[in-house]
Amino acid sequence: MKKKVLGVIIASALLAASLAGCGSSSAASSNAAAAKSGASSQASGKAEFAMIAGTTLPDAHPYNLGLKKMGELVDQKTNGAVTLDVFGNSQLGSERDLIEGLQLGSVQVTCVSTAPLAGFTDSFLVFDLPFIFETTEQARAVMDSDVGNEILHSVDDQGIVGLAWFENGFRNVTNNKKPINTPDDLKGMKIRTMENQMHMAAFQAMGADPTPMAMGDVFTALQQGTIDGEENPVPIVDTNKFSEVQKYISLTGHLFSPAPVFMAKDYYDSMSEDYQKAVQEAATEAAPYERDQIDKQNATGLDDLKAAGMQVNEPEKAPFKKATASIYDEYVKDGSGMVSPDIYNKVEEIVKAHPATDSSSSTGSSSSASSSTAE
Ligand code: EAX
């Protein structure tokens, strides 16, 4: 809580600084001078548009590495007139706070999972269907398709510009009680989920007791035992050091979280077309870099977790799919809070065009997981 208040204070101070810089002709001309002399305007604090980005994840997580890359690129493309400072670790609030922050103007850029968007728009709900993707390739094909683009831009009328698709990846269950081999093993377990009705319904269908909570509160809740477990991709479990408070990670791959990079529309609209283009290009170019970092951390993360004492298992997915199949009946239909059948069909078509192969499993590095399970 303290952290969040501090974050809001920092955000407000930075916002005041960025507003003071924005539109001031003296700031703009000294910035041009700095650019000419090759000096970094970020270092001298003279950017015309000094943007701040917030995320809920540790500095080493790919979201933040990707946003820093976007910052370097936009700085280069505008000779330092547009900069981006990144604040991770929920310093600027939860994902819901960050999305609202774009609308209120307290933050200019964020990267979030799609799940917390459920309270703002229905367009992203298709990604909350359990097991909709079997492979990362399928998820990426959807993000990079026309329907992916349509979904990304569906928040335009809510004061938010969709810039690019980063990703968070396949989610796995961690807990302190036992390896999860079948849905039965989840019975009665208090599992933290994101604040999303479909995720909660899926965990309920598997017999767990889902507890929605903001990311910034999860470590302490695990440590204090108010929850038994949580579910997140390997890079998050690893960079958050959940191994210090969790014994088991089960590679369920039950959901894939894409991660849109969003910008505040008012702020974007206040920029010249050249700067808007530079911001867009920087985000587009940073996306493959961010996804590479996810691949890298997925490839090494399980070994880190095992070295830190976690036990890894890879359950068969079929019983979990069966246990959560009702979510499709319940949520794929017309109506508010539902997955639009039109979007669902378009996504399914792309998935079918990218069939899974043996080597393209949902957890990336999972092939050796069961054989090398730590005891
Ligand atoms: O978007 O809250 C979560 O579990 C998410 O995976 C995280 O905040 C990244």
Side-chain angles (χ1 to χ4, degrees):
M1 199 57 193
K2 240 189 239 154
K3 217 179 186 182
K4 188 169 145 188
V5 172
L6 179 66
V8 171
I9 295 169
I10 295 173
S12 315
L14 287 167
L15 177 69
S18 78
L19 286 178
C22 167
S24 134
S25 60
S26 65
S29 56
S30 63
N31 176 62
K36 242 183 233 153
S37 71
S40 154
S41 60
Q42 190 157 14
S44 64
K46 292 281 166 52
E48 228 179 300
F49 291 93
M51 307 190 286
I52 56 167
T55 77
T56 59
L57 300 180
D59 292 342
H61 185 273
Y63 279 15
N64 296 323
L65 303 178
L67 288 173
K68 281 194 186 120
K69 171 64 78 185
M70 176 182 159
E72 282 163 27
L73 290 166
V74 78
D75 192 322
Q76 274 165 24
K77 286 172 194 287
T78 61
N79 290 323
V82 183
T83 58
L84 180 64
D85 271 329
V86 184
F87 295 83
N89 284 309
S90 305
Q91 288 176 81
L92 306 185
S94 67
E95 295 203 327
R96 197 205 299 203
D97 295 331
L98 290 164
I99 298 161
E100 283 170 3
L102 296 175
Q103 297 170 321
L104 297 170
S106 58
V107 65
Q108 287 79 52
V109 174
T110 191
C111 176
V112 292
S113 282
T114 52
L117 292 162
F120 296 83
T121 168
D122 295 337
S123 323
F124 293 81
L125 293 178
V126 69
F127 298 119
D128 300 317
L129 288 165
F131 299 103
I132 187 147
F133 301 126
E134 239 179 298
T135 68
T136 299
E137 195 207 356
Q138 292 171 348
R140 289 180 182 169
V142 169
M143 289 189 275
D144 299 336
S145 68
D146 286 348
V147 67
N149 214 32
E150 191 186 305
I151 295 170
L152 181 64
H153 293 289
S154 66
V155 279
D156 280 9
D157 61 353
Q158 301 212 32
I160 297 175
V161 179
L163 291 175
W165 282 116
F166 283 11
E167 74 185 37
N168 188 355
F170 278 104
R171 307 179 74 87
N172 305 298
V173 177
T174 70
N175 82 93
N176 247 341
K177 294 210 150 155
K178 58 179 168 189
I180 306 300
N181 283 304
T182 67
D184 246 18
D185 292 325
L186 282 165
K187 279 235 158 74
M189 259 195 210
K190 244 183 144 124
I191 302 287
R192 176 268 175 175
T193 66
M194 288 190 278
E195 297 173 58
N196 177 290
Q197 69 274 22
M198 290 169 67
H199 291 206
M200 291 178 69
F203 274 87
Q204 236 148 20
M206 291 188 278
D209 177 6
T211 310
M213 191 182 287
M215 189 66 195
D217 299 326
V218 177
F219 189 95
T220 308
L222 291 170
Q223 192 169 39
Q224 295 180 343
T226 43
I227 46 174
D228 301 310
E230 59 85 54
E231 48 86 53
N232 253 307
V234 167
I236 290 190
V237 177
D238 194 17
T239 56
N240 270 296
K241 301 213 178 328
F242 283 168
S243 54
E244 290 175 9
V245 287
Q246 294 280 266
K247 178 79 185 142
Y248 305 99
I249 178 163
S250 306
L251 304 175
T252 45
H254 51 280
L255 285 158
F256 180 98
S257 291
V261 178
F262 285 141
M263 182 164 170
K265 189 161 189 310
D266 281 352
Y267 197 82
Y268 182 84
D269 287 346
S270 73
M271 289 180 162
S272 68
E273 267 181 36
D274 279 357
Y275 289 172
Q276 288 176 349
K277 186 165 167 264
V279 167
Q280 179 58 67
E281 281 176 7
T284 305
E285 288 165 28
Y289 172 82
E290 193 272 350
R291 294 183 193 176
D292 275 357
Q293 302 306 308
I294 289 281
D295 286 343
K296 285 199 179 113
Q297 292 193 12
N298 264 324
T300 57
L302 278 182
D303 285 339
D304 291 350
L305 298 179
K306 281 181 210 160
M310 276 185 104
Q311 213 173 296
V312 184
N313 73 297
E314 185 169 13
E316 261 212 60
K317 297 207 171 52
F320 293 88
K321 280 189 196 170
K322 200 166 158 220
T324 54
S326 59
I327 305 299
Y328 285 69
D329 301 330
E330 217 177 310
Y331 285 97
V332 183
K333 56 175 77 143
D334 288 315
S336 109
M338 300 293 154
V339 177
S340 133
D342 177 51
I343 293 183
Y344 173 72
N345 288 334
K346 285 177 180 163
V347 167
E348 273 294 275
E349 212 173 289
I350 297 168
V351 168
K352 285 204 186 102
H354 295 80
T357 60
D358 282 351
S359 61
S360 58
S361 84
S362 63
T363 35
S365 54
S366 64
S367 50
S368 61
S370 7
S371 56
S372 55
T373 295
E375 293 305 327

